[in-house]
């Protein structure tokens, strides 16, 4: 990766600038808003998915000390699993095409 003299990632900054400029050039908030919503909802879904996986696998690096008690572990699994389902459901309700595109991009990454 190419870094500037001050240690900034030049390629990442240019890509972010170009992506933001293209979104601004669209000029209609109604076209950009579902895309931004999908990004945030996908981030929340992945956060819930990672919490679910860490709880399910009894990870020793999983920080909550109470997580190893059975009742709290089951409650955490239920809340994290329902969080993933709720995020994906909201994505589909907001815009089904963007939701499918976001899921395909996430699977591809």
């Amino acid at each position: 990766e190419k870094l500037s003299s001050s240690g900034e990632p030049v390629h990442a900054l240019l890509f972010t600038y170009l992506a933001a400029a293209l979104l601004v050039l669209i000029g209609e908030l109604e076209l950009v808003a579902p895309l931004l919503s999908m990004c945030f909802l996908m981030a929340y879904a992945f956060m819930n998915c990672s919490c679910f996986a860490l709880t399910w696998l009894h990870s020793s690096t999983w920080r909550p000390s109470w997580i190893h008690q059975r009742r709290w572990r089951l409650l955490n699994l239920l809340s994290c699993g329902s969080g993933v389902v709720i995020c994906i459901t909201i994505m589909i309700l907001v815009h089904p095409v963007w939701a499918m595109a976001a899921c395909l991009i996430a699977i591809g990454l």
Side-chain angles (χ1 to χ4, degrees), residues 25-90:
L25 287 175
I26 290 175
E28 288 190 41
L29 187 60
E30 290 80 23
L31 292 175
V32 178
L35 174 64
L36 295 175
S37 298
M38 295 307 139
C39 292
F40 284 111
L41 286 168
M42 189 60 78
Y44 297 144
F46 273 114
M47 188 182 340
N48 281 315
C49 188
S50 66
C51 291
F52 183 88
L54 286 169
T55 303
W56 180 268
L57 296 173
H58 298 281
S59 176
S60 60
T61 59
W62 190 218
R63 289 289 182 206
S65 59
W66 49 266
I67 206 70
H68 301 293
Q69 298 173 4
R70 182 174 170 81
R71 66 177 167 181
W72 298 118
R73 190 172 158 275
L74 291 174
L75 179 65
N76 194 34
L77 285 171
L78 180 66
S79 64
C80 293
S82 62
V84 172
V85 171
I86 289 170
C87 284
I88 293 174
T89 303
I90 292 173

